[in-house]
């Protein structure tokens, strides 16, 4: 079909999960093409798929190719009917953008690469990284509104945080998460409806 949606990425990928959740929340049918970016041929395949910096995900819609998850998810939100993925009020939108930036610049590098990845290889955590993880989680706990991170409706902020939070729960910081960040814990249980837990 000329205007078919295809998402190219991997199940384990934080950013692919975010894009998938956006497609699902909008109720859109799409084809999923697996691309393991860490396989030997992954970077070459990603470039071939249209990502000049060899990352996933990539979205194809008809003749359009889009990369960068924020561009992908905003496109999904604006090009299709379905529940809006961005809050209506300017201040809630600002909070959403703030959370997305915190995830791109802090939560993803610290919780996923700094804590989860070493843990998955059996390595002891760097104490400085644990401290940075606590700072990130504490700030997200402070910002979290109810029932969703940015108010009354689920938004891109929820979709962005869910996969990083799941990886944090599989890291050296996991034992302290439930007790120290109770609003995030309650939010993650609720958010299973829009971003399935992995
Ligand atoms: N800024 C990019 C980040 C995408 C990204 O880093 N994806 C990871 C997988 S979750 C990746 O492709 N990593 C490959 C690598 O770092 O070489 C986005 O928002 O899409």
């Amino acid at each position: 079909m000329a205007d078919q949606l295809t998402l190219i990425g991997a199940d384990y990928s934080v950013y692919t999960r975010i894009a998938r959740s956006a497609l699902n929340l909008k109720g859109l049918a799409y084809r999923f093409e697996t691309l393991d970016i860490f396989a030997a041929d992954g970077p070459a395949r990603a470039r071939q798929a249209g990502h000049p910096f060899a990352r996933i995900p990539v979205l194809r819609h008809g003749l359009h190719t889009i990369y960068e998850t924020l561009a992908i998810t905003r496109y999904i939100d604006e090009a299709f009917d379905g529940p809006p993925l961005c809050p209506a009020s300017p201040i809630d939108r600002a909070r959403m953008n703030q959370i997305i930036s915190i995830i791109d610049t802090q939560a993803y590098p610290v919780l996923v690469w700094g804590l989860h990845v070493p843990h998955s290889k059996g390595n002891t955590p760097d104490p400085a990284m644990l401290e940075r993880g606590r700072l990130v989680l504490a700030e997200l706990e402070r910002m979290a509104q109810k029932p969703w991170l940015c108010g009354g409706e689920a938004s891109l902020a929820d979709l962005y945080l869910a996969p990083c939070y799941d990886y944090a729960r599989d890291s050296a910081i996991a034992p302290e998460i439930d007790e120290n960040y109770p609003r995030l814990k309650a939010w993650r249980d609720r958010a299973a409806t829009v971003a399935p837990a992995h």
Side-chain angles (χ1 to χ4, degrees):
M1 220 161 59
D3 58 355
Q4 181 175 356
L5 278 164
T6 302
L7 184 69
I8 302 165
D11 283 339
Y12 59 75
S13 149
V14 161
Y15 286 98
T16 302
R17 287 182 190 176
I18 296 165
R20 286 192 100 155
S21 295
L23 288 160
N24 291 337
L25 197 47
K26 281 288 197 187
L28 299 170
Y30 63 96
R31 209 169 63 82
F32 185 70
E33 199 178 300
T34 296
L35 194 166
D36 179 3
I37 195 66
F38 299 113
D41 64 347
R45 284 186 60 205
R47 280 190 209 96
Q48 210 169 25
H51 203 311
F53 309 113
R55 298 281 187 278
I56 49 173
V58 173
L59 181 78
R60 291 225 182 94
H61 183 213
L63 296 176
H64 304 301
T65 299
I66 307 171
Y67 65 87
E68 283 298 327
T69 304
L70 191 55
I72 290 172
T73 52
R74 295 297 295 253
Y75 178 74
I76 291 166
D77 192 24
E78 290 164 17
F80 299 96
D81 291 336
L85 304 181
C86 299
S89 90
I91 189 61
D92 286 339
R93 264 177 200 261
R95 295 291 179 235
M96 180 191 80
N97 291 330
Q98 205 174 339
I99 289 174
I100 290 172
S101 285
I102 291 170
I103 287 156
D104 280 338
T105 61
Q106 306 292 330
Y108 179 68
V110 173
L111 301 177
V112 179
W113 284 99
L115 292 173
H116 167 75
V117 171
H119 180 78
S120 70
K121 294 178 177 163
N123 296 331
T124 30
D126 172 357
M129 201 55 80
L130 267 174
E131 220 25 69
R132 286 182 64 189
R134 290 184 188 112
L135 176 64
V136 173
L137 289 167
E139 176 57 7
L140 293 167
E141 172 83 2
R142 187 192 69 78
M143 288 187 72
Q145 298 179 42
K146 281 185 188 167
W148 302 97
L149 291 180
C150 296
E153 307 294 339
S155 76
L156 293 180
D158 302 282
L159 308 190
Y160 260 76
L161 183 55
C164 283
Y165 183 86
D166 292 349
Y167 276 122
R169 287 191 102 147
D170 184 12
S171 81
I173 210 167
E176 38 191 290
I177 286 190
D178 286 0
E179 198 176 320
N180 292 354
Y181 315 104
R183 296 168 74 173
L184 291 184
K185 179 185 181 323
W187 158 81
R188 187 62 188 101
D189 291 343
R190 193 175 308 118
T193 54
V194 298
H198 284 84

